[in-house]
Amino acid sequence: MGLVKQFFSFSPRRRLLLVLILGLFFGLLGTIAAMAICRLVAESLWFHNLGFLSVLWQRWQAQFLLVMVTFFVSWGFLWLNGALALQLRLGDAPDIKGIPKPLADAPTPLPPAPLPWWMNQGRDKGSKGGKEDRPWGITLPWLLLITVALGWLLCIVCFHSGAIALELRKTQPISLINNPFLEQLDLATILTISRDWLTHPLSLVLSAGMIILLLVWPGASYGIMSMALSLSLAWLGRNNWTTVLKGLAGVNVNRSDPLFGQDIGFYLFSLPLWELYRFWIVALGLGAIAGVALIYLLGADSLSQGRSPGFNRPQRRHLQALGAVVFAATGLSFWLERYKLVYSPQGVTFGASYTDITVRLPLDNLFSFLAIAVAVLLLWAALRKGGQQRQRLGPVSPWVLWFTLGYVAVAIVGAPTLPALIQNAIVQPNELQREFAYIRRTIDHTREGFDLEKINAQPFQPQNNLTPAILQENEATTRNIRLWDTRPLLETNRQLQQLRSYYSFPKAFIDRYNLKTEPGNPTAESRQVLVAARELDYGAVKPIARSWVNEHLVYTHGYGFTMSPVNTAAESGLPEYFVKDISEGDRGGDLLTSNPQIRDSIPVGHPRIYYGQITSSYVLAPSQVQELDYPSGNDNVYNHYDGSGGVPLNSWWGRLVFGAYFQDWQLLLTPNIKPESRVLFRRNIQQRVQAIAPFLRFDSEPYLVIADPRSPETTTAKDAQEAEPNYLYWIIDAYTISRHYPYSDPGDQPFNYIRNSVKVIVDAYDGSVKFYVVEPTDPLIQTWQRVFPDLFEPIGAMPQRLYEHIRYPVDMMRVQSQQLRKYHMTDPVVFYSQEDQWQIPQEIYGNDPQTVAPYYLITKLPTAPQEEFILLLPFTPINRPNLIAWLAARSDGENYGKLLLYQFPKQELVFGPEQMEARINQDPVISQQISLWNRQGSRSLQGNLLIIPVEQSLLYVEPIYLEAQYNSLPILARVVVMDNQRIAMAETLEAALDELFVAPAIAEPIQAGEIAPDLTPQ
């Protein structure tokens, strides 16, 4: 009633202004709340359509609980300490309603404690009255110094917590190697932030302003900063929901680390959670003790009086209790630092070294014990009776203070100094012997972390005896030698197969299919092909045709794909196509195939692509407006979507929800929505799967598969009579990664553990998503299966016709090959000297050097009974160009995921890619032809140099393309083939192979013991 009377006591103009302000405030608040609710509903409907609503709700529940628990516990702790400090402070009454008058208003003055020597600066030494007549207390200069330092610390605590929560202080990859956990608030971090603020004027001004507010209004400013700190910690907990869930549901790996005997699962799951607890406790402890000390020091008008009377017994007990919390957190910090030694980069290898174990580990134990001892002393001092009638300048007795300061000094000075002395005096003079056992640990655990221990290493003794008969016996290999790379093929596709400007071929994918390619031959053979999806790119639509209706109702999907054999070209030099174009007439919409046998092998159907790699905008389908289906001559054919993808949009509230979700109010106004309309959004397949499983890392190269997932046994007659379904599916490789595998060297990666544990299937027509576990022994995927049991399916549940197209991912091979360069050396002595380090070779692509990328082949491995689909990458010794090994990853059937490493004898020359490029450029016939092509108006491009194992020999193949300087349309001009002795070039692969065996040897083979020449161009 008082507020109502006060409101009507205002003038009409003031009442109107107040009503407008309140209306705007609550209107804005209501709008924000409504938008948030609409977003929650839209996300729930999207996950429900995919069948993963339980996954979303479980994630939201975890995030909600983390925010609520963290915020209220943090705010309660900080608020209670602030309220108690305001109750106990000297001087004026508290400004928080409901708190009684301060206990410090007692009329009897407390006798002072002895004054420390460093406070003598402010005493009147000329007084005749002796010590009793001298001014007593903390003088103004010291008071300002201490309060400014405490305010600075409080600002740093709030800033650091907020910056980490909002990811403003993003850790660089090199920092992830040194510390794979949260950036804790320690002395080094405080000094770093202070230096940054002092060197940036804006930061300095803002921090100075906050400190002034703390000095003028300590209680209110502390309350505001406590709220900000609590919100930051709550948001940090929300962002780390994966850390919490993994820590609570983590499985045992059943393998112990060699230093502490802890199960590896402790490092993968529990230790990151403990680090999160540590961050929280340290921030709360430092924030509370800095704020409370400020309130006490600035009580009783200390600044205006020019000195502070110090702390009475209740205040000291409060500060001692908070000091116990801080030192207990410090003890926990040093205890956790012990386990983090397994990530130490200080020694000769990654992980705990001799110095870490003999010096840093005992120091961490000592500092942890001493910190706990200080915490116990402070807690005892806070709980003991006595001292009620003494006033002290410090919060603790002098002996406790000196003990604490001594501990801090030893921790600051001894921690970095003693290990450096031991390293220089004891370790470095005999480093190999001291570090031998720890080098072995790093080798073993790095190979485990990057799944290198499963590599089957075998010697490969090249015979260099290729003959036409051997090639004839390996015809399946030679028929699948890749002459077309993805880049020239995509250039050609964009010229010949794009059909309309709004279509695009973003990428091409290498895969294998069982095809019947010859008329009259009913036998299917495995053929390596290049597949490219014809997607719709609305950004390429002419500006004059861009409108809301066209974007969301008409241009809804791409159509079709091309499929090209990798090993042949037409007479014109352009690619041949097994599948291309879009037919017209009676069979309108069908894709053209090179012969009926291909049509029998490839289930084309009606290949509409609603979900792809470049589809970004949402669409409404079906609607009153017909969708552009595909072009037909000078006209277009239209269609209506009849799939199950998307969220039904059959009510006014659904339109309201999604209008707010997309911030597009035309959804409410358009008359083109039908009762059966659906809203299809998040159509980019990588964004789609990332939204469902953000805790997985997804491959950069999803690939399109054309297959009928229905098995012949389950296909009914009704299914066969219905219109052909969609047969296009995307396969995306997903990885579980961690930065916390002990002793595993991350190298250049931001992680030190990786497994390709999941294959994801996305339907290109309805957007349905399936997650299949392909590596069930991975402890990370086992943990996520515990957390989300409804998300994953076993690999055995994948349709067989899709399973036939899974392949070993290129990204995984790249990561493993980078580590294998060093970690193929399993002998610690060899590893220490780095005498056998490898590198990934260079090749000439186009006219520029580049690193050889892993490439797919269909070939028969030396130890395999038949041809198979593999991923291959060669290696050369560091600073030498000759071939030293090649790594093969198998992809077919029960051999999927197996790795074979074939190592060449070091005493013999096996030409590497760089030497073969030099041979090509030095050959008179080839170099003359290339120079002739590179005249004005055209240029030659050298393609990927492929090293192909054929039984016990190696065949080198490089295509040469020719393109015009303008309006590039690359053609396959020549094929160069080589073995260790001969080189030949012809217009086709078959002709080049024929010429290879009549060409003279260009050099005698180098025998054992001879020095291999370096043919790399200088």
Side-chain angles (χ1 to χ4, degrees), residues 44-164:
S44 299
L45 292 173
W46 186 79
F47 274 84
H48 176 72
N49 174 257
L50 292 172
F52 297 133
L53 183 60
S54 63
V55 175
L56 177 68
W57 279 106
Q58 190 170 350
R59 186 200 310 173
W60 280 354
Q61 288 171 9
Q63 292 176 323
F64 178 78
L65 287 175
L66 285 170
V67 168
M68 292 294 103
V69 171
T70 306
F71 174 76
F72 284 110
V73 172
S74 303
W75 172 241
F77 177 81
L78 295 170
W79 184 86
L80 286 174
N81 279 283
L84 181 60
L86 290 171
Q87 179 183 0
L88 298 177
R89 73 179 179 177
L90 298 173
D92 50 352
D95 50 11
I96 297 181
K97 185 178 180 181
I99 296 179
K101 291 289 183 179
L103 301 178
D105 290 344
T108 304
L110 299 176
L115 197 65
W117 64 269
W118 49 275
M119 296 293 185
N120 287 338
Q121 304 288 341
R123 300 181 65 189
D124 184 9
K125 298 182 180 179
S127 174
K128 297 181 180 180
K131 290 183 179 181
E132 291 76 8
D133 297 330
R134 297 174 185 176
W136 185 88
I138 303 176
T139 58
L140 184 60
W142 284 105
L143 179 64
L144 285 175
L145 179 63
I146 295 172
T147 52
V148 168
L150 289 172
W152 186 269
L153 176 62
L154 184 57
C155 291
I156 287 178
V157 171
C158 293
F159 169 78
H160 178 71
S161 300
I164 296 296

Side-chain angles (χ1 to χ4, degrees), residues 852-1005:
V852 173
Y855 51 90
Y856 291 101
L857 289 174
I858 290 181
T859 188
K860 183 167 68 175
L861 294 170
T863 56
Q866 61 185 13
E867 286 78 11
E868 57 185 297
F869 191 61
I870 68 168
L871 183 63
L872 187 143
L873 183 66
F875 294 91
T876 60
I878 195 162
N879 297 325
R880 292 178 60 196
N882 57 286
L883 201 63
I884 192 64
W886 53 276
L887 178 66
R890 308 172 78 174
S891 297
D892 289 346
E894 62 182 11
N895 292 321
Y896 173 81
K898 294 181 179 179
L899 297 176
L900 294 172
L901 180 67
Y902 291 95
Q903 295 179 273
F904 299 100
K906 298 178 182 179
Q907 69 275 14
E908 295 185 18
L909 171 66
V910 180
F911 286 123
E914 294 167 86
Q915 291 172 314
M916 284 304 185
E917 296 284 9
R919 288 181 62 185
I920 292 173
N921 293 327
Q922 291 172 358
D923 184 84
V925 176
I926 298 176
S927 61
Q928 181 181 9
Q929 182 63 64
I930 290 176
S931 299
L932 185 62
W933 281 328
N934 288 334
R935 291 184 176 178
Q936 187 175 6
S938 66
R939 61 176 179 175
S940 64
L941 301 174
Q942 293 178 236
N944 291 129
L945 176 64
L946 305 182
I947 303 175
I948 302 159
V950 182
E951 295 189 359
Q952 291 297 123
S953 300
L954 295 178
L955 180 67
Y956 303 81
V957 179
E958 179 172 282
I960 298 179
Y961 310 105
L962 187 63
E963 67 175 2
Q965 188 172 356
Y966 305 102
N967 298 321
S968 172
L969 185 63
I971 63 170
L972 180 63
R974 294 291 187 273
V975 179
V976 179
V977 296
M978 297 163 284
D979 62 9
N980 223 42
Q981 300 179 8
R982 292 163 294 203
I983 183 170
M985 182 177 71
E987 294 185 0
T988 65
L989 176 62
E990 293 77 8
L993 290 174
D994 291 339
E995 289 188 17
L996 181 68
F997 297 106
V998 298
I1002 62 171
E1004 292 295 327

Side-chain angles (χ1 to χ4, degrees), residues 568-812:
T568 60
E571 292 183 1
S572 61
L574 295 172
E576 288 188 340
Y577 290 96
F578 286 151
V579 181
K580 64 176 182 177
D581 295 337
I582 302 175
S583 63
E584 304 176 18
D586 295 336
R587 296 186 60 86
D590 284 353
L591 304 185
L592 299 181
T593 57
S594 58
N595 56 57
Q597 288 75 27
I598 293 294
R599 177 168 294 278
D600 293 339
S601 304
I602 303 296
V604 175
H606 292 287
R608 300 181 177 99
I609 303 175
Y610 281 84
Y611 298 85
Q613 293 182 284
I614 60 173
T615 48
S616 55
S617 61
Y618 74 90
V619 298
L620 305 174
S623 68
Q624 301 288 356
V625 179
Q626 288 187 320
E627 305 167 46
L628 173 64
D629 201 18
Y630 57 87
S632 179
N634 295 325
D635 299 321
N636 294 323
V637 176
Y638 296 87
N639 184 59
H640 284 293
Y641 180 72
D642 59 358
S644 59
V647 178
L649 202 63
N650 51 12
S651 61
W652 67 267
W653 68 266
R655 297 173 69 166
L656 177 64
V657 164
F658 284 102
Y661 181 78
F662 296 120
Q663 298 181 17
D664 187 350
W665 301 110
Q666 294 205 51
L667 270 172
L668 291 173
L669 306 176
T670 179
N672 295 311
I673 296 179
K674 302 194 297 185
E676 59 270 24
S677 293
R678 312 174 76 89
V679 54
L680 283 63
F681 65 101
R682 204 171 276 140
R683 297 191 299 138
N684 182 288
I685 55 173
Q686 288 175 301
Q687 295 175 3
R688 192 174 187 83
V689 296
Q690 190 71 52
I692 299 170
F695 46 85
L696 297 176
R697 179 176 179 138
F698 294 94
D699 195 86
S700 61
E701 295 186 3
Y703 58 100
L704 187 70
V705 169
I706 303 96
D708 185 354
R710 304 170 300 176
S711 63
E713 295 78 12
T714 59
T715 303
T716 64
K718 181 180 178 181
D719 294 332
Q721 292 175 0
E722 290 179 351
E724 286 187 295
N726 176 68
Y727 299 119
L728 303 186
Y729 297 87
W730 296 98
I731 296 183
I732 309 174
D733 287 281
Y735 308 98
T736 52
I737 62 172
S738 176
R739 303 180 300 185
H740 307 131
Y741 201 86
Y743 281 101
S744 179
D745 180 6
D748 298 328
Q749 303 295 336
F751 50 84
N752 65 358
Y753 176 92
I754 183 171
R755 292 292 186 272
N756 175 216
S757 296
V758 178
K759 302 286 184 180
V760 187
I761 305 293
V762 182
D763 192 311
Y765 187 64
D766 64 27
S768 60
V769 182
K770 298 288 185 181
F771 292 80
Y772 296 100
V773 176
V774 73
E775 193 163 345
T777 58
D778 171 30
L780 284 174
I781 204 61
Q782 290 175 356
T783 299
W784 286 120
Q785 285 180 290
R786 279 187 175 186
V787 176
F788 300 116
D790 299 331
L791 180 59
F792 301 99
E793 299 181 38
I795 191 62
M798 181 184 289
Q800 178 62 30
R801 291 173 178 171
L802 290 175
Y803 180 80
E804 292 172 356
H805 291 277
I806 66 172
R807 65 185 194 183
Y808 201 85
V810 172
D811 284 0
M812 184 71 175

